[in-house]
Amino acid sequence: MALVVFYEKPGCGGNARQKALLTAAGHQLEVRNLLTHPWTAATLRPFFGTKPVKDWFNLSSPKVKSGEIDPASFSPEEALALMVREPLLVRRPLMQVGEERRSGFDGAEVAAWVGLGDQAVPEDIASCMKGHAHTPCPEPEP
């Protein structure tokens, strides 16, 4: 099984479910705080691979949901500069196994990448749990 470096928003219910799925599949997790990690554009960029810039953004972020930020309106350089300043905008989780890095949690992609065993992957595994019956994510400290 793999050692997965897992960057999360502490207290996020969705990230908790994702971590549980990975550990149940036998993976070891090294959990890090996405919001306090000392990101630079160079360290953040590899997590997004060939995804379009709009897919780098956390669509559940208050600034995206309110329309204050339009993920489709940024160049890669602009998006990275903004995300370095405001990591809450980054699509979670960020994961690294060896030198390979990924953003977001698509169950089929993760299963093909590191394996999830014979576990059923809930359809909403990548969804924000705010507003659901689960414990909502706490807001980050100022």
Side-chain angles (χ1 to χ4, degrees):
M1 294 288 109
L3 170 63
V4 180
V5 180
F6 190 98
Y7 293 91
E8 69 169 353
K9 175 184 170 188
C12 175
N15 286 162
R17 294 181 321 134
Q18 296 156 357
K19 291 185 302 185
L21 195 61
L22 288 164
T23 56
H27 300 295
Q28 290 184 312
L29 299 183
E30 183 178 310
V31 179
R32 298 184 183 172
N33 186 331
L34 173 73
L35 305 180
T36 60
H37 189 77
W39 295 110
T40 65
T43 59
L44 189 56
R45 176 63 184 94
F47 287 94
F48 304 122
T50 60
K51 291 180 180 180
V53 172
K54 66 181 177 60
D55 292 341
W56 300 2
F57 283 83
N58 171 11
L59 300 180
S60 296
S61 165
K63 288 186 177 183
V64 173
K65 286 177 80 170
S66 73
E68 181 180 339
I69 290 178
D70 174 11
S73 69
F74 292 93
S75 71
E77 296 77 18
E78 292 168 332
L80 289 167
L82 182 60
M83 290 176 174
V84 165
R85 286 192 313 273
E86 297 185 49
L88 192 58
L89 295 171
V90 175
R91 176 164 285 164
R92 302 186 301 271
L94 297 181
M95 295 178 287
Q96 179 176 351
V97 175
E99 294 302 314
E100 189 165 349
R101 295 166 176 89
R102 305 273 177 106
S103 64
F105 199 102
D106 176 287
E109 271 186 28
V110 173
W113 177 34
V114 296
L116 293 175
D118 58 357
Q119 298 184 84
V121 179
E123 279 187 37
D124 66 348
I125 193 68
S127 300
C128 176
M129 299 313 298
K130 260 189 171 177
H132 290 74
H134 302 279
T135 304
C137 297
E139 292 304 314
E141 297 292 321

